[in-house]
Amino acid sequence: MTAKEPAMPSDAPSAIGRPGSYSKGVARRQEILDRAIEVFQERGADGTSLRRIAGAIGVSHAALLHYFDSREQLLVAVYEHAEKRRDETVVDQPEPERGIDIMIEAANANIEVPGLVQLYSTLVAASLEADAGPSREYFTARFERVREDLEQRLRREQAEGRMRADVDVRHVAALIVAASDGLQIQWLLEPSVELQASLETFGRLLAP
Amino acid sequence: MTAKEPAMPSDAPSAIGRPGSYSKGVARRQEILDRAIEVFQERGADGTSLRRIAGAIGVSHAALLHYFDSREQLLVAVYEHAEKRRDETVVDQPEPERGIDIMIEAANANIEVPGLVQLYSTLVAASLEADAGPSREYFTARFERVREDLEQRLRREQAEGRMRADVDVRHVAALIVAASDGLQIQWLLEPSVELQASLETFGRLLAP
């Protein structure tokens, strides 16, 4: 993809009524996201307008608005896309046994992707600033999904005697998610903070 | 005013040659911060330029630049100021016995101050986006200070048999800070997340 390539504004005839145009649109969206991830890794999310992002990606501002309603929606899509790519790198490994180990694996994978934790933090902060909007909706749902998945795993671990039974799994699930998020931030600011070993210590606290 | 706060610029006309002008400058700075906290509580930190903040506070842009070099420096000062005011509200209570209880008290006080957790999250995200700058310096130092204070308390608790001895206090300190930060965010997005009860569960995990 280069800057010379014609853009595809929402009223572009080429996108209307032809077979395959939908899947082409999807592919084009993926292309934009792939390139946008690189732009954010180079420049960071802070202070980058939709117009400047379009320029850096090499599409017109109108073309970008065809795929994303706002800068925030684009950033959320970039985050989702980057996370999906991250998951593809660990897909062949066997899933760890305990919930905490899954979170340790995810945290380690996160910090390997340049800019991912920064983008996550920027979007979480944006989700708190507004009562509604793309990041608010995305992160409210995402936190709930991750907590619930973890809760179910922890409940099984308790039932099978692999986790201490005297604590509420809802609390532990929220704590693990919080600890993992917070430690990635602390590690980015101070690499002597032991991300993996600290989460493993949490795992030891949960042993029966 | 603590030793860490920046002195007023030496070329400030109001700070030169008149008795009391330094303390007047300090008082004026406090006044600006008091008003700025209200502005941020009303509007959020996101997308607010220094010029708009000046307008909302009712001072000139030049006056604001006299006290703060940049929008980010002002935001960090607003956060510090708001946190100091928060601490004044709990100053008469006896200090809790355990490190985790001090963090629970702080977390509960944080979420009582409108906009404080939002501002914290925005500034932490900003600190990750840049290799240097006011928020990067402030939060790197702040995390280190909070972790070290907690570490010392936990070490004492271990020595006195009030905390289990088989875990590294450096890990536990980093975990508690991370858990407290992350849970405040989760609670803001989903009030059914039990902030205090979850941190108390962490406390139970640490019991000998």
Side-chain angles (χ1 to χ4, degrees), chain B residues 186-200:
Chain B
Q186 289 183 49
W187 175 83
L188 272 175
L189 290 176
E190 178 50 63
S192 72
V193 170
E194 296 180 299
L195 171 64
Q196 173 156 354
S198 298
L199 288 172
E200 282 168 357

Side-chain angles (χ1 to χ4, degrees), chain A residues 8 13 17 23 29 40-41 46 69 93 97-98 124 140 145 148 156 159 161 178 199:
Chain A
M8 208 168 70
S23 63
R29 190 175 183 276
F40 287 109
Q41 286 171 0
D46 202 35
D69 291 339
Q93 293 166 23
E97 276 191 19
R98 296 180 311 164
V124 167
T140 303
R145 201 172 61 238
E148 276 177 7
R156 261 199 314 274
L199 287 172

Side-chain angles (χ1 to χ4, degrees), chain B residues 113-133:
Chain B
V113 182
L116 190 64
V117 178
Q118 287 89 333
L119 184 56
Y120 180 88
S121 302
T122 297
L123 289 171
V124 166
S127 77
L128 302 179
E129 295 274 1
D131 291 336

Side-chain angles (χ1 to χ4, degrees), chain A residues 139-202:
Chain A
F139 283 100
T140 303
R142 185 181 193 282
F143 275 119
E144 197 166 329
R145 201 172 61 238
V146 176
R147 278 193 306 260
E148 276 177 7
D149 178 72
L150 207 43
E151 252 178 71
Q152 283 180 18
R153 290 173 191 276
L154 296 172
R155 228 178 278 281
R156 261 199 314 274
E157 290 169 32
Q158 271 188 338
E160 292 166 11
R162 293 186 288 126
M163 177 186 148
R164 53 190 281 179
D166 63 340
V167 284
D168 186 327
V169 290
R170 286 176 310 131
H171 298 163
V172 176
L175 280 166
I176 291 176
V177 174
S180 172
D181 285 359
L183 284 171
Q184 290 171 56
I185 289 168
Q186 289 183 49
W187 175 83
L188 273 174
L189 291 176
E190 178 50 64
S192 72
V193 170
E194 296 179 299
L195 172 63
Q196 173 156 352
S198 298
L199 287 172
E200 282 167 356
T201 291
F202 201 136

Side-chain angles (χ1 to χ4, degrees), chain A residues 48-138:
Chain A
T48 317
S49 71
L50 204 55
R51 196 171 292 275
R52 282 188 59 191
I53 296 166
I57 295 177
V59 300
S60 73
H61 187 213
L64 205 54
L65 284 173
H66 172 70
Y67 295 101
F68 307 98
D69 291 339
S70 64
R71 178 178 173 273
E72 195 181 326
Q73 201 192 67
L74 169 64
L75 288 184
V76 170
V78 165
Y79 177 76
E80 269 190 289
H81 192 62
E83 201 183 35
K84 212 180 290 171
R85 291 212 310 197
R86 180 209 71 184
D87 289 344
E88 284 162 12
T89 66
V90 291
V91 81
D92 287 336
Q93 293 166 23
E95 191 174 82
E97 276 191 19
R98 296 180 311 164
I100 183 98
D101 295 318
I102 293 172
M103 296 298 284
I104 291 172
E105 201 172 75
N108 278 330
N110 281 344
I111 60 173
E112 287 295 315
V113 183
L116 190 65
V117 179
Q118 287 88 334
L119 184 56
Y120 179 88
S121 302
T122 296
L123 288 171
V124 167
S127 78
L128 302 180
E129 294 275 1
D131 292 336
S135 56
R136 180 91 185 189
E137 282 157 33
Y138 178 73

Side-chain angles (χ1 to χ4, degrees), chain B residues 130-176:
Chain B
D131 291 336
S135 56
R136 180 94 184 185
E137 281 157 34
Y138 178 72
F139 283 100
T140 303
R142 186 181 192 281
F143 276 118
E144 197 167 329
R145 200 173 62 238
V146 176
R147 278 193 306 262
E148 275 176 9
D149 178 72
L150 208 42
E151 251 177 71
Q152 282 180 17
R153 290 173 191 277
L154 296 172
R155 227 178 278 282
R156 259 198 316 273
E157 291 170 32
Q158 272 187 337
E160 292 166 10
R162 295 186 286 126
M163 178 187 149
R164 55 191 278 180
D166 62 340
V167 283
D168 187 325
V169 291
R170 286 173 313 130
H171 298 163
V172 176
L175 281 166
I176 291 176

